[in-house]
Amino acid sequence: MRFVATLLAFILALVSGPAFAAKKEKVEVKDAKVVTSNRPAVPSVTDPANLWYLDLSTGGRVVIWLRPDAAPKMVERVKLLTSQHFYDGLLFHRVIEGFMAQTGDPKGDGTGGSTLPNVPAEFNWLPHVRGAVSAAREGAAEGATVEAVTKAENSANSQFFIVFNPTMKLDKKYTVFGRVISGMEYVDAVARGEPPTAPSRILHAYLGTDNPPAYVPAPPAPVALPTPVPTLKLAPRAKPVAAPHKKAA
């Protein structure tokens, strides 16, 4: 009897073991599919379609790797505006030391945007590390209603900022849509201020598919000549009139 019981246990182990292992493997594959199916493929860092070039007045070209896998709507927006030359000549109107440099406003004071509709929030997993490029939007006052907060969160348009130092408190509150991969030193050189007294600017913006020409520095600012002091022109001196002579008697 003991032999029979041992034999039955061995047979059950052979039958149930592979079935359990197969079931477990199937679950793992299913879980893996769930993890990977939620995110589109990360674009190549060398794909010209997702490289954004900003030629700055600070002396060089900034190359930004766009992330349509994380923020497809905002990436589509900056691509469209770039094709329209919207960003050419715009100022960095708000630059805070150790925090970020903000631009993208045609008014130059932080209150403007493009004529296109606002872009809804695309808060994602990308962090606000050094060189992160994130969409600027309106803020909501402390204690604001849910409607006011939602409106502010969905108010991104054309403005964006580039992060100087890691600022993780902004994560999942602003839409990161790119990262500087070259030329960060030219962002570091942007004039500080809110607004700066002599603001830096974007000379030209290109997409990698535009086959952008080589960087051309900004023309030197005209030298202000001293205002000439006006000279007074004196009227010519009148010739003296000779006194009349008396005729001799």
Side-chain angles (χ1 to χ4, degrees), residues 93-109:
H93 62 270
R94 182 171 179 251
V95 185
I96 302 175
E97 180 65 44
F99 180 23
M100 60 89 213
Q102 186 171 335
T103 182
D105 176 15
K107 291 184 177 180
D109 60 5

PDB file of all heavy atoms in Angstrom, residues 93-109:
ATOM      1  N   HIS A  93      11.382  85.935 -21.105  1.00  0.00           N
ATOM      2  CA  HIS A  93      10.793  87.036 -20.341  1.00  0.00           C
ATOM      3  C   HIS A  93      10.815  86.809 -18.828  1.00  0.00           C
ATOM      4  O   HIS A  93      10.600  87.745 -18.059  1.00  0.00           O
ATOM      5  CB  HIS A  93       9.347  87.270 -20.786  1.00  0.00           C
ATOM      6  CG  HIS A  93       8.461  86.079 -20.546  1.00  0.00           C
ATOM      7  ND1 HIS A  93       8.295  85.081 -21.487  1.00  0.00           N
ATOM      8  CD2 HIS A  93       7.694  85.725 -19.484  1.00  0.00           C
ATOM      9  CE1 HIS A  93       7.459  84.173 -21.022  1.00  0.00           C
ATOM     10  NE2 HIS A  93       7.082  84.533 -19.797  1.00  0.00           N
ATOM     11  N   ARG A  94      11.070  85.574 -18.399  1.00  0.00           N
ATOM     12  CA  ARG A  94      11.082  85.278 -16.953  1.00  0.00           C
ATOM     13  C   ARG A  94      12.170  84.246 -16.688  1.00  0.00           C
ATOM     14  O   ARG A  94      12.036  83.082 -17.082  1.00  0.00           O
ATOM     15  CB  ARG A  94       9.718  84.758 -16.500  1.00  0.00           C
ATOM     16  CG  ARG A  94       9.614  84.459 -15.009  1.00  0.00           C
ATOM     17  CD  ARG A  94       8.157  84.174 -14.634  1.00  0.00           C
ATOM     18  NE  ARG A  94       7.999  83.855 -13.232  1.00  0.00           N
ATOM     19  CZ  ARG A  94       7.704  82.631 -12.767  1.00  0.00           C
ATOM     20  NH1 ARG A  94       7.496  81.636 -13.629  1.00  0.00           N
ATOM     21  NH2 ARG A  94       7.577  82.419 -11.481  1.00  0.00           N
ATOM     22  N   VAL A  95      13.230  84.670 -16.033  1.00  0.00           N
ATOM     23  CA  VAL A  95      14.392  83.798 -15.818  1.00  0.00           C
ATOM     24  C   VAL A  95      14.800  83.915 -14.357  1.00  0.00           C
ATOM     25  O   VAL A  95      15.201  84.988 -13.897  1.00  0.00           O
ATOM     26  CB  VAL A  95      15.568  84.175 -16.746  1.00  0.00           C
ATOM     27  CG1 VAL A  95      16.713  83.182 -16.575  1.00  0.00           C
ATOM     28  CG2 VAL A  95      15.112  84.233 -18.205  1.00  0.00           C
ATOM     29  N   ILE A  96      14.695  82.807 -13.627  1.00  0.00           N
ATOM     30  CA  ILE A  96      14.968  82.804 -12.189  1.00  0.00           C
ATOM     31  C   ILE A  96      16.210  81.955 -11.928  1.00  0.00           C
ATOM     32  O   ILE A  96      16.251  80.769 -12.290  1.00  0.00           O
ATOM     33  CB  ILE A  96      13.768  82.251 -11.407  1.00  0.00           C
ATOM     34  CG1 ILE A  96      12.510  83.095 -11.708  1.00  0.00           C
ATOM     35  CG2 ILE A  96      14.057  82.232  -9.917  1.00  0.00           C
ATOM     36  CD1 ILE A  96      11.250  82.562 -11.080  1.00  0.00           C
ATOM     37  N   GLU A  97      17.201  82.555 -11.317  1.00  0.00           N
ATOM     38  CA  GLU A  97      18.458  81.871 -11.010  1.00  0.00           C
ATOM     39  C   GLU A  97      18.207  80.594 -10.211  1.00  0.00           C
ATOM     40  O   GLU A  97      17.449  80.592  -9.234  1.00  0.00           O
ATOM     41  CB  GLU A  97      19.378  82.811 -10.213  1.00  0.00           C
ATOM     42  CG  GLU A  97      20.708  82.194  -9.848  1.00  0.00           C
ATOM     43  CD  GLU A  97      21.555  81.889 -11.073  1.00  0.00           C
ATOM     44  OE1 GLU A  97      21.630  82.742 -11.978  1.00  0.00           O
ATOM     45  OE2 GLU A  97      22.130  80.783 -11.113  1.00  0.00           O
ATOM     46  N   GLY A  98      18.807  79.491 -10.640  1.00  0.00           N
ATOM     47  CA  GLY A  98      18.666  78.217  -9.949  1.00  0.00           C
ATOM     48  C   GLY A  98      17.362  77.513 -10.187  1.00  0.00           C
ATOM     49  O   GLY A  98      17.143  76.410  -9.666  1.00  0.00           O
ATOM     50  N   PHE A  99      16.471  78.092 -10.992  1.00  0.00           N
ATOM     51  CA  PHE A  99      15.143  77.496 -11.203  1.00  0.00           C
ATOM     52  C   PHE A  99      14.911  77.206 -12.675  1.00  0.00           C
ATOM     53  O   PHE A  99      15.036  76.062 -13.124  1.00  0.00           O
ATOM     54  CB  PHE A  99      14.072  78.413 -10.623  1.00  0.00           C
ATOM     55  CG  PHE A  99      12.664  77.912 -10.788  1.00  0.00           C
ATOM     56  CD1 PHE A  99      12.381  76.570 -10.962  1.00  0.00           C
ATOM     57  CD2 PHE A  99      11.596  78.805 -10.772  1.00  0.00           C
ATOM     58  CE1 PHE A  99      11.075  76.114 -11.118  1.00  0.00           C
ATOM     59  CE2 PHE A  99      10.288  78.376 -10.912  1.00  0.00           C
ATOM     60  CZ  PHE A  99      10.035  77.022 -11.097  1.00  0.00           C
ATOM     61  N   MET A 100      14.595  78.240 -13.469  1.00  0.00           N
ATOM     62  CA  MET A 100      14.252  77.977 -14.862  1.00  0.00           C
ATOM     63  C   MET A 100      14.295  79.251 -15.695  1.00  0.00           C
ATOM     64  O   MET A 100      14.329  80.374 -15.181  1.00  0.00           O
ATOM     65  CB  MET A 100      12.877  77.325 -14.958  1.00  0.00           C
ATOM     66  CG  MET A 100      11.725  78.132 -14.391  1.00  0.00           C
ATOM     67  SD  MET A 100      10.987  79.243 -15.592  1.00  0.00           S
ATOM     68  CE  MET A 100      10.489  80.611 -14.557  1.00  0.00           C
ATOM     69  N   ALA A 101      14.272  79.050 -17.041  1.00  0.00           N
ATOM     70  CA  ALA A 101      14.199  80.143 -18.024  1.00  0.00           C
ATOM     71  C   ALA A 101      12.948  79.926 -18.865  1.00  0.00           C
ATOM     72  O   ALA A 101      12.774  78.862 -19.457  1.00  0.00           O
ATOM     73  CB  ALA A 101      15.442  80.154 -18.912  1.00  0.00           C
ATOM     74  N   GLN A 102      12.081  80.931 -18.908  1.00  0.00           N
ATOM     75  CA  GLN A 102      10.781  80.803 -19.579  1.00  0.00           C
ATOM     76  C   GLN A 102      10.707  81.707 -20.805  1.00  0.00           C
ATOM     77  O   GLN A 102      11.166  82.853 -20.787  1.00  0.00           O
ATOM     78  CB  GLN A 102       9.664  81.164 -18.593  1.00  0.00           C
ATOM     79  CG  GLN A 102       8.258  80.935 -19.128  1.00  0.00           C
ATOM     80  CD  GLN A 102       7.204  81.094 -18.043  1.00  0.00           C
ATOM     81  OE1 GLN A 102       7.498  80.927 -16.859  1.00  0.00           O
ATOM     82  NE2 GLN A 102       5.990  81.422 -18.429  1.00  0.00           N
ATOM     83  N   THR A 103      10.089  81.184 -21.872  1.00  0.00           N
ATOM     84  CA  THR A 103       9.940  81.918 -23.125  1.00  0.00           C
ATOM     85  C   THR A 103       8.688  81.421 -23.844  1.00  0.00           C
ATOM     86  O   THR A 103       7.893  80.663 -23.290  1.00  0.00           O
ATOM     87  CB  THR A 103      11.205  81.746 -24.000  1.00  0.00           C
ATOM     88  OG1 THR A 103      11.052  82.526 -25.201  1.00  0.00           O
ATOM     89  CG2 THR A 103      11.433  80.300 -24.379  1.00  0.00           C
ATOM     90  N   GLY A 104       8.504  81.869 -25.083  1.00  0.00           N
ATOM     91  CA  GLY A 104       7.370  81.404 -25.879  1.00  0.00           C
ATOM     92  C   GLY A 104       6.170  82.325 -25.896  1.00  0.00           C
ATOM     93  O   GLY A 104       5.105  81.948 -26.386  1.00  0.00           O
ATOM     94  N   ASP A 105       6.334  83.555 -25.372  1.00  0.00           N
ATOM     95  CA  ASP A 105       5.225  84.512 -25.324  1.00  0.00           C
ATOM     96  C   ASP A 105       5.465  85.623 -26.335  1.00  0.00           C
ATOM     97  O   ASP A 105       6.427  86.385 -26.196  1.00  0.00           O
ATOM     98  CB  ASP A 105       5.109  85.094 -23.923  1.00  0.00           C
ATOM     99  CG  ASP A 105       4.031  86.176 -23.826  1.00  0.00           C
ATOM    100  OD1 ASP A 105       3.203  86.277 -24.749  1.00  0.00           O
ATOM    101  OD2 ASP A 105       4.031  86.920 -22.831  1.00  0.00           O
ATOM    102  N   PRO A 106       4.611  85.764 -27.342  1.00  0.00           N
ATOM    103  CA  PRO A 106       4.807  86.845 -28.322  1.00  0.00           C
ATOM    104  C   PRO A 106       4.665  88.232 -27.730  1.00  0.00           C
ATOM    105  O   PRO A 106       5.189  89.204 -28.281  1.00  0.00           O
ATOM    106  CB  PRO A 106       3.726  86.573 -29.371  1.00  0.00           C
ATOM    107  CG  PRO A 106       2.694  85.759 -28.671  1.00  0.00           C
ATOM    108  CD  PRO A 106       3.430  84.943 -27.657  1.00  0.00           C
ATOM    109  N   LYS A 107       3.975  88.361 -26.590  1.00  0.00           N
ATOM    110  CA  LYS A 107       3.853  89.664 -25.932  1.00  0.00           C
ATOM    111  C   LYS A 107       5.101  90.011 -25.124  1.00  0.00           C
ATOM    112  O   LYS A 107       5.339  91.186 -24.835  1.00  0.00           O
ATOM    113  CB  LYS A 107       2.633  89.673 -25.005  1.00  0.00           C
ATOM    114  CG  LYS A 107       1.291  89.627 -25.721  1.00  0.00           C
ATOM    115  CD  LYS A 107       0.161  89.745 -24.710  1.00  0.00           C
ATOM    116  CE  LYS A 107      -1.199  89.777 -25.388  1.00  0.00           C
ATOM    117  NZ  LYS A 107      -2.302  89.898 -24.401  1.00  0.00           N
ATOM    118  N   GLY A 108       5.845  88.996 -24.732  1.00  0.00           N
ATOM    119  CA  GLY A 108       7.069  89.234 -23.986  1.00  0.00           C
ATOM    120  C   GLY A 108       6.885  89.559 -22.523  1.00  0.00           C
ATOM    121  O   GLY A 108       7.833  89.972 -21.859  1.00  0.00           O
ATOM    122  N   ASP A 109       5.676  89.354 -21.984  1.00  0.00           N
ATOM    123  CA  ASP A 109       5.453  89.670 -20.570  1.00  0.00           C
ATOM    124  C   ASP A 109       4.814  88.517 -19.793  1.00  0.00           C
ATOM    125  O   ASP A 109       4.436  88.667 -18.631  1.00  0.00           O
ATOM    126  CB  ASP A 109       4.582  90.922 -20.432  1.00  0.00           C
ATOM    127  CG  ASP A 109       3.208  90.763 -21.088  1.00  0.00           C
ATOM    128  OD1 ASP A 109       2.884  89.650 -21.563  1.00  0.00           O
ATOM    129  OD2 ASP A 109       2.454  91.767 -21.129  1.00  0.00           O
TER     130      ASP A 109
END
